[in-house]
Amino acid sequence: MKNSAPIRVFLVEDSLVALTILKRILASSPEVDVVGTAPNGVEALERIPAAQPQVICTDLHMPKMDGLELTHRIMRDYPRPILVISASVNTQEDSRNVFKLLQAGALDVFPKPNIDSLSDYEQVKHELINRIKVLAGVTVFTRHTSRATVEPRTHPLSPKKKPEPFSPKPVSNSQFPIRNSPFSLPKVVAIGASTGGPQALYAILKQLPANFPVPILCVQHISEGFLQGLVDWLAAECFLRVTIAQPGEFPKPGTVYFAPERQHLQLDTQGRLTTVSTPAVSGHRPSVTALFQAVATCYPRSAVGILLTGMGRDGADGLQAIAQAGGTTIAQDEQTCVVFGMPKEAIALGAAQHILAIGEIAPMLLNRISSYSNRQEH
């Protein structure tokens, strides 16, 4: 049986040392072929049309044209999956700027290799090649919009606009039929995501007002070192408070709590946030399933679980636990997922009561809460 052609990758990197390491890593895999390189965005745009790469890897800081401008231009002229490979996690501003590339159309972030030992090299090689293989299967399309809103089809982003404060309104459940305890007020929303998750989280959270009456707990699979940047970016773009969970705190309405790096996010018997370093679940720590199972135990019949885009099956069993406890479960639909792995697994289990496009999830949350409030008033 004939092997498929290797994945064509283009590298944009101004550091000769970093470029050499990246080329050596990728050359070690027969599944990847580096078809071109450039030291900045200007030269990359000149060479990409002839190279016809399937995946483009770019740094953030480069002379002449940086990674952000390059990403805008690629998504406008030569839409391709873009992986940001950056060391810009040392300052708050740089860390947040990395996520502006995702807002512009890049799909994922990866730390610039810093090889200190053979074991580090093997781990970085494995993770980087896997990221590229995942992104090679993603299709993006040109959007002829203004520079501020250039985006891949799968990420419906728009300029920041303040949502109306939450207030109960007459609603119809015809669009979002509610199963399981329709008159129970949700007490917590739990969200899990992997590849494509930052953009999906942004699409949901930007639609929620600052006085959203329920706490939101999140697990996002992301390369180590990038979590604080994700939190800072979302906090700057949304009206909810966004933070990394601290053990011992009671979750507050209008606040988004992310699981810390390398720790599962849990809840104790009193409902306080806890973090634990127990073994990985479904290959991940933090794990979406670990969070969902904790939520199902602490808030039976009053939790909402949302499983977003991502590779693998983390979260599927956890979403099933929420459904079986009587909560409400939502999976992102295939059309708006970057990678329809995690939601697909949950749907196959029968764990997803609702399968929604990313733009429909926030309206359903508001509908769910308004439905309860209206019942209470009558």
Side-chain angles (χ1 to χ4, degrees):
M1 186 175 179
K2 186 177 179 180
N3 292 331
S4 59
I7 300 165
R8 299 168 63 83
V9 176
F10 193 98
L11 301 175
V12 191
E13 172 59 66
D14 64 319
S15 165
L16 185 58
V17 172
L19 182 62
T20 300
I21 293 173
L22 289 171
K23 288 172 68 176
R24 186 175 70 187
I25 289 173
L26 298 182
S28 69
S29 172
E31 298 175 278
V32 177
D33 182 18
V34 177
V35 295
T37 66
N40 57 65
V42 173
E43 294 184 40
L45 290 174
E46 293 172 352
R47 300 171 188 175
I48 285 171
Q52 287 296 304
Q54 294 167 265
V55 177
I56 297 169
C57 301
T58 184
D59 193 6
L60 171 60
H61 293 298
M62 296 178 293
K64 297 184 181 180
M65 181 187 291
D66 65 11
L68 180 57
E69 179 65 25
L70 174 63
T71 298
H72 281 294
R73 296 281 294 274
I74 289 171
M75 295 311 301
R76 185 189 71 189
D77 300 333
Y78 317 110
R80 299 285 191 282
I82 299 172
L83 175 63
V84 181
I85 300 181
S86 177
S88 296
V89 294
N90 296 323
T91 69
Q92 185 178 47
E93 183 64 23
D94 277 352
S95 185
R96 192 162 58 224
N97 283 340
V98 167
F99 289 89
K100 291 182 179 179
L101 273 73
L102 298 191
Q103 190 170 352
L107 296 185
D108 205 356
V109 295
F110 192 82
K112 190 173 291 190
N114 180 16
I115 311 301
D116 295 323
S117 70
L118 181 60
S119 61
D120 287 342
Y121 177 82
E122 291 301 319
Q123 181 179 353
V124 169
K125 179 176 76 171
H126 174 76
E127 292 180 359
L128 178 57
I129 290 170
N130 276 349
R131 294 289 180 92
I132 288 173
K133 288 164 66 176
V134 169
L135 296 187
V138 176
T139 301
V140 294
F141 297 93
T142 305
R143 284 290 296 269
H144 296 288
T145 58
S146 68
R147 182 184 182 278
T149 58
V150 172
E151 73 230 29
R153 173 185 60 83
T154 49
H155 306 316
L157 307 183
S158 62
K160 183 177 180 181
K161 181 181 178 182
K162 189 171 184 178
E164 293 294 323
F166 176 79
S167 59
K169 299 176 183 178
V171 295
S172 168
N173 290 330
S174 60
Q175 183 181 4
F176 305 116
I178 298 170
R179 310 177 193 177
N180 296 334
S181 189
F183 309 134
S184 174
L185 174 67
K187 294 180 180 177
V188 67
V189 174
I191 306 178
S194 186
T195 306
Q199 302 94 321
L201 285 165
Y202 169 82
I204 294 171
L205 299 179
K206 69 168 184 175
Q207 298 183 65
L208 302 180
N211 68 337
F212 186 68
V214 179
I216 301 173
L217 311 182
C218 294
V219 167
Q220 167 67 54
H221 300 162
I222 196 164
S223 296
E224 188 171 352
F226 287 101
L227 178 63
Q228 188 63 57
L230 172 64
V231 167
D232 293 342
W233 172 64
L234 289 172
E237 296 292 331
C238 304
F239 290 91
L240 299 166
R241 176 174 174 256
V242 186
T243 187
I244 297 174
Q246 298 298 317
E249 184 176 0
F250 284 101
K252 297 180 178 64
T255 303
V256 182
Y257 300 90
F258 277 87
E261 293 179 339
R262 295 188 175 185
Q263 296 184 69
H264 296 304
L265 180 57
Q266 305 273 270
L267 294 155
D268 67 16
T269 55
Q270 280 74 49
R272 290 175 297 199
L273 298 172
T274 63
T275 58
V276 295
S277 299
T278 49
V281 177
S282 299
H284 296 279
R285 191 179 68 204
S287 161
V288 180
T289 282
L291 171 62
F292 284 1
Q293 289 175 339
V295 164
T297 299
C298 192
Y299 294 101
R301 303 185 69 81
S302 58
V304 179
I306 304 172
L307 192 56
L308 303 176
T309 172
M311 176 63 72
R313 69 178 318 277
D314 186 28
D317 295 330
L319 202 70
Q320 187 175 50
I322 292 176
Q324 291 174 343
T328 300
T329 57
I330 303 168
Q332 186 179 352
D333 70 355
E334 183 174 8
Q335 185 177 7
T336 61
C337 278
V338 171
V339 181
F340 189 52
M342 288 159 41
K344 181 179 180 181
E345 293 290 339
I347 292 166
L349 282 179
Q353 299 162 0
H354 306 273
I355 303 169
L356 301 178
I358 191 65
E360 296 175 334
I361 294 175
M364 180 177 175
L365 292 176
L366 296 171
N367 176 284
R368 181 80 163 86
I369 293 167
S370 291
S371 177
Y372 172 83
S373 300
N374 292 332
R375 289 283 176 177
Q376 291 298 98
E377 290 175 4
H378 294 88

